[in-house]
């Protein structure tokens, strides 16, 4: 009997039904993330199916790999929602050696992504916000000036002021503390954008 034989892999099919070469879970996750617009259906797959596949694959790889792919998707592939969803999924994993807060703060690059992250976090029902998630969102909040906050302070189910209260963000200085007071009071200076000029009749 010969033991040194070629290794065989279970056959898998691509979304279109064709045979697919063997790939690791990390490779599958990276390819899925790089080629999708989250929750938007494509020719072969539904957007919700893709989100569920990403969630399943994150449960099968390490938190460090999830974070690496999320940061790469944001910084290199310039994707907006998928990196946030990856971090939401990874935040439920337990690894005493990994702190996900820094990755959350890095990947959130627009104020509306703060509330979008929480909307994803509560997609399947409200739950307490993990300490590392709070820390990451609070750190990200410190990045934005008045123009950015006013431009992206949308009237969604989760508002920026809601995020500010829930994560207990601490201002860097008195100027930022005053800025956040204006955000809470809905007194931010109107941003000078072409959208604002257009709505004003210009």
């Amino acid at each position: 009997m010969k033991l040194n034989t070629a290794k065989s892999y279970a056959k898998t099919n691509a979304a279109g039904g064709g045979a697919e070469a063997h790939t690791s879970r990390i490779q599958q996750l990276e390819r899925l993330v790089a080629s999708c617009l989250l929750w938007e259906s494509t020719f072969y797959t539904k957007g919700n199916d893709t989100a569920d596949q990403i969630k399943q694959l994150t449960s099968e790889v390490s938190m460090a790999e999830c974070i690496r792919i999320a940061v790469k998707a944001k910084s290199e592939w310039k994707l907006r929602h998928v990196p946030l969803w990856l971090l939401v999924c990874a935040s439920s994993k337990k690894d005493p050696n990994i702190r996900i807060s820094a990755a959350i703060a890095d990947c959130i690059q627009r104020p509306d992504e703060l509330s979008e992250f929480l909307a994803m976090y509560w997609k399947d029902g409200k739950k307490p916000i993990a300490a590392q998630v709070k820390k990451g969102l609070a750190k990200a909040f410190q990045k934005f000036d008045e123009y950015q906050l006013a431009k992206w302070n949308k009237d969604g189910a989760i508002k920026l002021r809601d995020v500010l209260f829930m994560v207990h963000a601490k201002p860097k200085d008195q100027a930022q503390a005053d800025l956040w007071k204006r955000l809470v009071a809905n007194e931010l200076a109107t941003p000078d954008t072409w959208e604002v000029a257009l709505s004003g009749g210009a």
Side-chain angles (χ1 to χ4, degrees), residues 172-189:
K172 294 182 292 185
D173 49 35
Q174 188 57 47
Q176 190 164 72
D178 293 340
L179 169 60
W180 290 357
K181 286 179 183 178
R182 293 196 295 278
L183 170 65
V184 171
N186 200 27
E187 295 175 350
L188 293 174

Side-chain angles (χ1 to χ4, degrees), residues 117-177:
F117 186 98
L118 275 187
M120 292 182 188
Y121 193 79
W122 288 329
K123 186 176 79 72
D124 298 320
K126 270 204 169 186
K127 59 183 177 181
I129 305 172
Q132 279 292 301
V133 172
K134 282 186 178 181
K135 188 175 180 180
L137 294 175
K139 185 69 176 175
F141 223 114
Q142 294 180 336
K143 294 198 277 188
F144 305 117
D145 58 24
E146 184 158 11
Y147 172 85
Q148 293 168 310
L149 290 175
K151 182 177 180 180
W152 298 107
N153 187 26
K154 306 298 183 182
D155 194 23
I158 303 172
K159 299 177 176 60
L160 288 179
R161 56 178 286 172
D162 300 329
V163 180
L164 182 63
F165 289 143
M166 286 185 280
V167 304
H168 308 295
K170 298 290 188 289
K172 294 182 292 185
D173 49 35
Q174 188 57 47
Q176 190 164 72

